[in-house]
Amino acid sequence: MGPALSKIDREHPPQLAYGTAGFRCDATQLVIAMERVGMLAALRSRDRDGLKIGVMVTASHNPHRDNGVKIVDPTGAMLAQAWESKAEKVACCPESQLLETLASVAEGEAASASVVIGRDTRAHSRALSQRVRAGAEALGARVEDVGVVTTPQLHHCVRAANGFSPVVKGPLYGYADALVDAFEALLKTSPHKTGRPDSTVVVDCAGGVGAFGIHQLRRRLEERGLASVLSLRAANIVREAPLNHQCGAEHVQKQRLPPKNLSRRDLGAPNLRGCSVDGDADRLVYWFHGLSNFEIVDGDKIASLLAVFIARELAAAQPLIGTPSLGVVQTAYANGAAAAFLRERRVEVAFAKTGVKYVHHAAEAFDVGVYFEANGHGTVLVKEALRARLAQLDSEPGTGGRARLAVSRLHAVARLANQSVGDALADLLLVEAVLCLQQKSIAAWGALYDELPSRQLKQRVASRALLEPNATETRLVAPAALQAKIDALAASHKSGRAFVRPSGTEDVVRVYAEAATRR
């Protein structure tokens, strides 16, 4: 970062946009933004009565040359949308106007501020996180640096440190121990022996921080004698593969190709279960080498597996908990076969605008909300009142019975699923527990339904502002004539569906189409 520092023009900082991913771009453009994000985090902490605010330095699935930064609110949630514009204002103003700008966005009056900083494995992340620290300390905040962590681990640390989730003893506020505790609790509800002949899962770590998390989980699983149920084998670890290059969830899901170093020949065993996380371990997709093809089990099928399992347990627990609402939230990009599969099983499907923050918000409308984007980012949200009721019932002495068994299972799911953000490591354990309980192979899971053939492309236009989508981006409000033509084309094909939506960042429109056949 040395050469970049000498070229900084503080009166004309890079003009960055704060989105779902926070600020993200070439790492050399982020020095000023990092300092000012640290300042903004301090102000946000004061606005939240001095509670800890998180700052994560990562560019997730982007190439190694990029980096980014995102702010985490006290509950472990993403930064409140009302503060995104404040982040942009502070990061992009001239240095001569910085004090005035900071004063204009400050709202809280708490005497103290506290910031928790984490970072990924990129070579420039340490230096950039130090810039965040300098900015936070410049405004008097206490700083806790938790070092190299996954993005979900940082969210967990913030949530636990502020008392919004139980703290389990252990590093990172007991992150790995809490996950394995819940995993073991879910396995204990199995009516059959939980040892498995296919216990090994190969985890493609994208050359990133997920490898450290997998190591932590593997060690705890072995200590508790659970390796016969789940044995994690990390591949493409740090320095074994370039970060996100020909490996990781983004590569597998978008390119439909095996990760580097994990071809059929490399593995030497058919039907071996594999999965891939991305550079900061908040996405998860599964895969396996079938008899003739490389098969991918993406976020849509993760959501389907979990939602059907949860629906069955909610029905069984009804005598004790009533009828909590369950819904799966998808974006327009979800394969239509997934929605049809769920509706056939009477699981409600709702749609939200593309972007994790919109899908997460929509999932919060249900007592149990399941959301996974096709890229593998997602989780299961359980409302606080239901979590408390499940915990109470699960702790009470009593005889067995199907309803009580279902309560124990639902309580374990609520403990295991990250309640703040998509978490590849938590999702991995949740999927593996459900597969074990159902004695289902990955091939059987992958065959839950046949995906409709689909195609995506983008087209450059003079102005994307001419296209106005509806709230869920599944249809165009304007121009109406264009939507009518899309409807006519979709209706001319069996199971046809198509939509057009403007890009949020450039003058292109994104086109998606699917149908029963490719012709």
Side-chain angles (χ1 to χ4, degrees):
M1 299 298 295
L5 293 178
S6 64
K7 298 177 182 178
I8 291 176
D9 181 353
R10 293 186 173 274
E11 278 301 298
H12 303 91
Q15 299 302 290
L16 306 175
Y18 193 103
T20 300
F23 293 123
R24 188 177 296 179
C25 60
D26 187 288
T28 60
Q29 301 298 305
L30 284 168
V31 175
I32 295 175
M34 290 290 177
E35 295 173 354
R36 296 182 180 182
V37 162
M39 296 175 184
L40 190 79
L43 294 180
R44 181 60 174 163
S45 176
R46 288 196 171 89
D47 178 59
R48 299 287 90 185
D49 297 323
L51 291 175
K52 294 178 185 289
I53 295 294
V55 178
M56 183 67 194
V57 177
T58 182
S60 187
H61 55 273
N62 280 37
H64 182 270
R65 66 177 178 275
D66 292 344
N67 217 317
V69 62
K70 60 180 77 172
I71 301 173
V72 178
D73 265 351
T75 61
M78 291 177 284
L79 178 66
Q81 290 187 39
W83 275 68
E84 292 180 0
S85 59
K86 295 184 179 187
E88 294 175 356
K89 192 175 181 181
V90 170
C92 301
C93 73
E95 185 83 0
S96 58
Q97 298 174 19
L98 179 58
L99 293 180
E100 178 185 347
T101 302
L102 289 170
S104 72
V105 303
E107 294 183 6
E109 298 180 357
S112 63
S114 186
V115 177
V116 182
I117 302 174
R119 66 181 187 274
D120 69 10
T121 56
R122 295 165 200 266
H124 28 70
S125 288
R126 180 188 292 272
L128 291 175
S129 70
Q130 290 171 346
R131 292 277 156 181
V132 175
R133 182 179 195 124
E137 291 179 338
L139 266 64
R142 297 188 303 274
V143 174
E144 177 185 1
D145 188 339
V146 295
V148 175
V149 292
T150 70
T151 293
Q153 285 175 332
L154 190 276
H155 283 257
H156 168 83
C157 288
V158 173
R159 181 179 174 87
N162 288 316
F164 290 104
S165 64
V167 177
V168 177
K169 289 184 179 180
L172 300 178
Y173 295 85
Y175 172 84
D177 298 278
L179 291 186
V180 176
D181 283 349
F183 175 71
E184 187 173 21
L186 190 49
L187 289 178
K188 285 180 178 178
T189 68
S190 174
H192 48 76
K193 185 178 178 181
T194 53
R196 303 163 70 183
D198 60 343
S199 62
T200 299
V201 177
V202 178
V203 186
D204 161 30
C205 298
V209 65
F212 302 131
I214 292 297
H215 173 71
Q216 295 159 8
L217 293 182
R218 183 181 67 238
R219 186 174 63 197
R220 284 161 177 79
L221 290 168
E222 291 172 349
E223 289 171 351
R224 301 193 191 191
L226 295 172
S228 63
V229 181
L230 179 59
S231 176
L232 300 176
R233 172 182 155 194
N236 290 329
I237 61 175
V238 179
R239 290 187 291 275
E240 185 175 273
L243 182 67
N244 295 320
H245 179 64
Q246 296 180 357
C247 58
E250 177 80 357
H251 166 78
V252 170
Q253 195 262 334
K254 292 291 193 302
Q255 302 300 321
R256 320 299 288 184
L257 292 172
K260 179 181 181 179
N261 303 322
L262 294 174
S263 68
R264 183 193 301 273
R265 179 179 298 176
D266 293 324
L267 294 173
N271 292 319
L272 189 65
R273 215 159 53 255
C275 64
S276 294
V277 305
D278 63 335
D280 66 339
D282 64 358
R283 296 184 183 186
L284 174 75
V285 295
Y286 269 77
W287 47 264
F288 66 100
H289 293 279
L291 294 177
S292 58
N293 298 318
F294 176 67
E295 304 286 350
I296 299 171
V297 186
D298 65 9
D300 289 343
K301 285 189 174 173
I302 294 176
S304 297
L305 175 78
L306 299 181
V308 170
F309 172 77
I310 292 168
R312 186 177 298 119
E313 299 309 315
L314 285 172
Q318 184 176 352
L320 296 176
I321 63 172
T323 56
S325 60
L326 167 67
V328 174
V329 180
Q330 299 180 331
T331 71
Y333 288 102
N335 195 274
F341 172 84
L342 291 165
R343 287 175 178 140
E344 286 171 3
R345 286 149 185 82
R346 299 185 178 181
V347 175
E348 183 176 348
V349 178
F351 284 88
K353 184 177 178 180
T354 300
V356 172
K357 61 186 176 184
Y358 303 112
V359 180
H360 186 101
H361 178 70
E364 291 177 324
F366 298 95
D367 292 314
V368 182
V370 181
Y371 75 86
F372 278 85
E373 295 182 296
N375 62 27
H377 189 287
T379 190
V380 178
L381 301 180
V382 182
K383 280 192 173 178
E384 176 59 37
L386 180 56
R387 292 204 308 272
R389 178 63 174 152
L390 292 169
Q392 176 194 354
L393 289 169
D394 200 21
S395 65
E396 293 176 351
T399 57
R402 185 64 181 91
R404 184 166 289 277
L405 176 68
V407 163
S408 295
R409 287 179 172 178
L410 291 168
H411 184 214
V413 168
R415 292 167 55 198
L416 185 47
N418 193 309
Q419 296 301 298
S420 301
V421 69
D423 183 340
L425 304 186
D427 293 337
L428 189 162
L429 293 185
L430 184 51
V431 164
E432 289 299 322
V434 172
L435 291 177
C436 183
L437 290 175
Q438 296 183 342
Q439 296 186 298
K440 190 186 294 291
S441 70
I442 189 170
W445 174 25
L448 279 182
Y449 57 82
D450 294 325
E451 293 182 349
L452 296 173
S454 64
R455 186 176 180 187
Q456 298 182 42
L457 58 86
K458 64 180 182 179
Q459 175 65 48
R460 187 160 295 280
V461 294
S463 174
R464 66 184 187 276
L466 296 176
L467 277 70
E468 180 186 352
N470 64 1
T472 59
E473 299 183 330
T474 53
R475 298 180 61 81
L476 288 176
V477 175
L482 177 56
Q483 183 59 55
K485 290 183 178 180
I486 294 172
D487 289 341
L489 284 170
S492 67
H493 294 77
K494 182 181 178 181
S495 302
R497 182 174 71 93
F499 66 87
V500 174
R501 58 178 286 267
S503 167
T505 57
E506 54 184 330
D507 279 323
V508 300
V509 295
R510 304 190 186 280
V511 182
Y512 177 93
E514 66 181 26
T517 66
R518 294 188 180 277
R519 298 181 64 182

